[in-house]
Amino acid sequence: MRSECPNHQRVVVPHIPPTPSPSTPSNSGKPESTMDLLPAESSETAKRHRFRSLKLLNADLDQNLGDRPFGVDFGRLDNGLSYYVRSNSKPRMRAALALAVKAGSVLEEEEERGVAHIVEHLAFSATSKYTNHDIIKFLESIGAAFGACQNAMTTADETIYELFVPVDKPELLSQAISVLAEFSTEIRVSEDDLKKERGAVMEEYRGTRNATGRMQDSHWALMMAGSKYAERLPIGTEEVIRKVSADVVKRFYSRWYHLGNMAVIAVGDFPDTQSVVELIRTHFGQKCSPSGLPIIPHYEVRSHVEPRFSCFVESEAAGSAVMVSCKMPLSELKTVKDYRDLLVESMFLQALNQRLFKISRRKDPPYFSCSAAQDTLVRSMKAYIISSPCKERGTIEALESILLELARIRLHGFSERETSTVRALLMSEIESAYLERDQIQSTSLRDEYQQHFLHDEPVVGIEFEAQLQKTLLPSILASEISKYAEKLRTTCNCVIKTIEPHASVTVDDLKRVVSKVTSLEEAESISAWDEEHIPEEIISVHPDPGSVIYQSEYLNIGVSELILSNGMRVCYKQTDFLDDQVTFSGFAYGGLSELPEVDYFSCSMGSTIAGEIGVFGYKPSVLIDMLAGKRAEVGTKLGAYMRTFSGDCSPTDLEIALQLVYQLFTTTVEPGDEVRVVMQMAKEAVHAQERDPYTAFANRVREPIRINDLEKVDPNVACRYFNNCFKDPSTFTIVIVGKIDPEIARPLILQYLGGIPRPPTPVMKFSRDELNGLPFKFPEKIVREVVRSPMVEEQCSVQLSFPVELKNGTMNEEIHFVGFLSKLLEMKMMQVLRFKHGQIYSAGVSVFLGGNKPSRTGDVRGDISINFSCDPYISKKLVDFALEELLRLQEEGPSDQDISSILEIEQRAHENGLQENYYWLDRILRSYQSRNYSGDLVSSFEIQDEARVNVRKSLSPTTAREALQRIIPYPCKKKYTVVILMPRRSTHQLVKSFFQSTRKDYTKAMISIASLTILAISLWRINRSAIKSVDR
């Protein structure tokens, strides 16, 4: 469950609803007014016809897009409930369901602030049919995990309940729809129900009272000043959460949860839609709401000509930033002209973002990054929001740069090349959507129909939308795009805000910047944009192709493996999950653990520094234009024991992606002016961590990065190391998964991967069994530590950890046992700490098994951690509750229902994964990296599969109990660490504590490292022998 701050930012691209599946009746959603524009129903072959063959439309700009959604069984029951039902087989045997309610926090009266969100919480707690969170238990029992597959959200204008459930058994869909029906009219509200849920809601509220939450709330109030929205954040107020009566909550629920203001949406792998409509009719049809549909009030957001200014000081802020926001009424999307305007707006934002990115990559940039987005604030209002993180005391420079760029666009416009670039980007996006029109996820379709119901957004079908964009995009001129900069004048409902950890600017400073730029624009004293030269080709001289030395076909898993003449191993798997996706990853053994300590910090920054310089032979600001309209990207990572690159692309752009990999291996990166900017950003990040109260907590579970560490970084050493990491192709294994045509892909693989030159002597060629291990030691005795940190508002976070050691002989099964046990612990912690005691919002369980080098022999060490946040004053009590529950599980074992639920959740996740390219990429990579691998990929793959099957078959309350005793110290209370973040105490409390603790021994051991892949952590100092409770 979550309350959503309405100013959540996202980059908006044209609305792209998908097409109906072949089983959908041909006229189920076509509006009569668009019949002459919509393509006729076609055969499966025609549907898969390529985007480039789509005919252009002779579209009338005044043509109405229609009110009825395309491709869905849409209607309304007699009681007013709307429904949307669509058959869709992605993923197979699953359904995405939702109940959308046109009731949010803006409808609350003063004494109800937060009640809309409380109702949402109570829905999962108790209804007339379910009690004591039985809804959650039922959904978990069918494989719908809490949070991932059953959730809800409350915004200012609406509340949405979402389920994602299996439908491979006839009764499951009916039961899931019955749950949504309970939410519509049967939520139980009693004082006892409220008492049980207040703690969880209060903890969610506490989670919003950090620096990010305060900054968001402040900006929202500034944007919405003068309207009711300004005082109706969905999370509500602490007083209402703690004290509101059941009668007040009931009154809100009864008044606004009217069936006429609701819609149920069902998208999934259904044999037909009519049977689902009948299920909706069965569960909802007999329900009724009070007579008279409540009218949803319209709350105006006032316009203002003069800009609003704010200099917000937040002592815990992650850094300094500038935000420029311009509000405007939400445009209607009713006609083809409206749709064309949306495309123009999207092109403007894309072109603006391209410029802002290039400015951030200059020699002495005014900001670290900057981006623009259109955000729907509330039902009637949207805004263009430009946000820019910048250096400390750099807000004035950043603001001036932003306003100057907007003025430059108004004076000189965008160039034809800029326009062509963003046109290609949008054309590429709609082509991808068209090619995958029959493979879109049911959750995405569900969201489309939610927007149709809640915001009247038209759904016209992807074929028509693709034709529409293909027709309209070429006709949009640079002058039209440039005119959108007029909407970002400071006289257009503009809000300008700076955020700083320490005050350095005033409102008068901001006004002077606005006045200065306005004067420059009026005098036309701003020069035109200076464009860089953009090469035509990524590779100027194409390499000679390599050859295949050895080939293996693993038919059991549909994989082909090639050993190339330069020693590189390439494995590919052809799938049909998505028609426009190819994903790949390459790895080689040998990483940061092989370095002398003196070079560690420099080399750990290698990927970051090289990335800013340009690892593919071109600066990032140039490469972004070279790749315009191409769907290809590649990234790198330097880890403790491995170095990797990964990426994805469209099948049509596989050549581009492989060219980037070739460039990665053949480019020599040399430090330049970019290094200074990178190091400045890194230092700002360290200073930000020092301001964050959670840093003191994080520093107890991992070694922190300090300013003096960054001062040790030698850019020449960093670049030299990075160059060597991606130099020798014979050390790398590459896995490629997706929509691959081997007849096309193999020649490209041979040319761009096989063509990578092999150095005369091996470079960074390591055996996995001979890698240097990093120090890892879990404390030998119990550690209970309180870390105190100054805070603006009280926060508390808990990490409870236990050592894990898996023996080599039973490693394969034990790893799967750890996976099942972590899910069991997460489920039980939620049941005890949230549903029973009502004192947390969520609990997470994480597993770390990186305490050893990845050799084929030896045991695996690591830890398993339970994490949650809570009221600081009950944290120790909740730790004891968690320990008691774990000890009970070790002694008594879980219930049969617990075992059944975690088996079902794991199985459903496994089934979903089998339909995803990333899942298969990960499985194949893990098979290569498994200690079972000795040259036969299938053997390694099958050993892992067999281990999973064996553990599933054997898992029972008894075997789970035995595994808990075997894998976690038994009894669990004999060996663990717990670190609790608490607010810093007052001076009086500190003095009292000092006199009480002078005879206590505070000698403790460092808990463990949480990750081996984070940037620039000194792994040489992890095994510290003594730490003390700190106040920071």
Side-chain angles (χ1 to χ4, degrees), residues 54-193:
L54 278 177
K55 294 180 180 179
L56 301 182
L57 296 173
N58 184 19
D60 178 0
L61 291 181
D62 293 327
Q63 181 70 51
N64 196 292
L65 294 174
D67 296 324
R68 291 185 63 84
F70 177 77
V72 65
D73 201 335
F74 168 66
R76 179 169 293 185
L77 302 184
D78 292 341
N79 57 18
L81 178 82
S82 297
Y83 63 81
Y84 300 73
V85 179
R86 172 164 173 170
S87 295
N88 185 67
S89 59
K90 184 73 173 180
R92 292 188 296 273
M93 292 293 106
R94 297 293 183 275
L97 311 177
L99 178 70
V101 187
K102 293 179 180 178
S105 58
V106 75
L107 299 176
E108 298 165 348
E109 300 301 330
E110 186 64 27
E111 72 276 9
E112 297 174 331
R113 293 176 64 178
V115 165
H117 180 227
I118 290 173
V119 169
E120 171 219 305
H121 269 253
L122 291 173
F124 288 88
S125 174
T127 67
S128 61
K129 184 177 177 182
Y130 297 92
T131 61
N132 196 28
H133 296 94
D134 286 342
I135 285 178
I136 294 172
K137 296 171 187 174
F138 156 68
L139 291 169
E140 286 180 332
S141 73
I142 64 172
F146 184 62
C149 299
Q150 42 173 315
N151 214 327
M153 68 175 180
T154 303
T155 72
D157 291 314
E158 63 239 9
T159 303
I160 302 172
Y161 301 88
E162 296 177 341
L163 303 178
F164 185 70
V165 297
V167 290
D168 51 353
K169 299 174 184 176
E171 69 277 9
L172 297 184
L173 179 61
S174 178
Q175 291 171 313
I177 291 175
S178 77
V179 168
L180 294 181
E182 288 287 295
F183 293 163
S184 68
T185 60
E186 307 298 328
I187 297 176
R188 196 181 73 188
V189 183
S190 69
E191 291 298 340
D192 187 54
D193 295 323

Side-chain angles (χ1 to χ4, degrees), residues 453-524:
F453 174 72
L454 295 169
H455 302 291
D456 296 321
E457 290 189 11
V459 179
V460 297
I462 190 62
E463 287 97 338
F464 175 55
E465 191 159 4
Q467 284 185 286
L468 202 54
Q469 287 203 36
K470 190 175 178 182
T471 301
L472 297 175
L473 282 171
S475 70
I476 296 174
L477 305 176
S479 57
E480 294 180 83
I481 302 171
S482 304
K483 286 180 182 178
Y484 263 74
E486 294 290 338
K487 297 176 180 284
L488 282 119
R489 286 191 178 274
T490 54
T491 54
C492 296
N493 287 313
C494 187
V495 175
I496 296 175
K497 179 178 180 178
T498 61
I499 300 168
E500 297 181 295
H502 309 288
S504 70
V505 298
T506 65
V507 167
D508 287 340
D509 294 329
L510 305 184
K511 290 180 177 179
R512 279 192 288 270
V513 172
V514 171
S515 177
K516 175 184 176 181
V517 175
T518 300
S519 298
L520 289 172
E521 183 177 359
E522 289 173 349
E524 298 187 1

Side-chain angles (χ1 to χ4, degrees), residues 812-884:
N812 296 309
E813 285 78 12
E814 291 291 74
I815 286 177
H816 286 286
F817 265 116
V818 169
F820 281 109
L821 294 182
S822 65
K823 184 59 193 174
L824 172 67
L825 288 178
E826 189 170 274
M827 188 169 67
K828 299 307 290 184
M829 291 302 128
M830 284 293 288
Q831 288 178 7
V832 172
L833 301 182
R834 176 168 174 173
F835 304 144
K836 180 180 178 181
H837 295 288
Q839 296 297 338
I840 69 167
Y841 176 59
S842 65
V845 174
S846 58
V847 177
F848 166 67
L849 297 177
N852 297 78
K853 61 184 181 181
S855 68
R856 293 182 179 87
T857 60
D859 301 336
V860 168
R861 291 178 297 155
D863 58 48
I864 186 166
S865 300
I866 300 168
N867 305 276
F868 57 88
S869 61
C870 62
D871 184 326
Y873 303 104
I874 62 170
S875 58
K876 294 180 180 179
K877 181 172 70 173
L878 295 186
V879 168
D880 291 338
F881 285 157
L883 286 168
E884 288 292 339

Side-chain angles (χ1 to χ4, degrees), residues 173-222:
L173 179 61
S174 178
Q175 291 171 313
I177 291 175
S178 77
V179 168
L180 294 181
E182 288 287 295
F183 293 163
S184 68
T185 60
E186 307 298 328
I187 297 176
R188 196 181 73 188
V189 183
S190 69
E191 291 298 340
D192 187 54
D193 295 323
L194 269 177
K195 181 179 179 181
K196 290 179 180 179
E197 204 61 30
R198 284 188 205 274
V201 179
M202 190 62 221
E203 193 49 43
E204 188 176 357
Y205 172 85
R206 195 191 319 279
T208 68
R209 306 316 304 153
N210 54 18
T212 301
R214 288 190 293 272
M215 290 186 290
Q216 288 180 341
D217 291 357
S218 168
H219 190 68
W220 180 251
L222 191 64

Side-chain angles (χ1 to χ4, degrees), residues 639-678:
Y641 300 115
M642 284 191 291
R643 52 206 191 270
T644 61
F645 65 85
S646 58
D648 57 63
C649 64
S650 166
T652 56
D653 293 320
L654 178 61
E655 181 172 11
I656 299 294
L658 295 182
Q659 286 179 349
L660 292 174
V661 176
Y662 175 85
Q663 289 289 96
L664 173 65
F665 277 81
T666 57
T667 296
T668 299
V669 179
E670 296 180 352
D673 295 329
E674 300 88 353
V675 173
R676 183 175 55 81
V677 178
V678 172

Side-chain angles (χ1 to χ4, degrees), residues 804-821 849 860 906 930-932 940 942-955 959 963 966-967:
V804 171
E805 186 167 352
L806 309 181
K807 299 301 180 182
N808 183 43
T810 57
M811 184 69 61
N812 296 309
E813 285 78 12
E814 291 291 74
I815 286 177
H816 286 286
F817 265 116
V818 169
F820 281 109
L821 294 182
L849 297 177
V860 168
E906 189 274 345
S930 167
R931 61 177 55 206
N932 301 305
S940 175
E942 290 177 345
I943 288 172
Q944 293 184 61
D945 261 4
E946 183 181 0
R948 172 183 172 270
V949 171
N950 289 340
V951 171
R952 283 187 59 86
K953 287 180 178 179
S954 68
L955 199 62
T959 57
R966 183 174 67 249
I967 293 172

Side-chain angles (χ1 to χ4, degrees), residues 913-930:
L914 290 173
Q915 304 171 60
E916 300 295 334
N917 287 324
Y918 286 109
Y919 173 87
W920 282 99
L921 178 70
D922 181 64
R923 284 294 312 275
I924 296 170
L925 285 169
R926 285 193 288 114
S927 295
Y928 275 120
Q929 296 165 8
S930 167

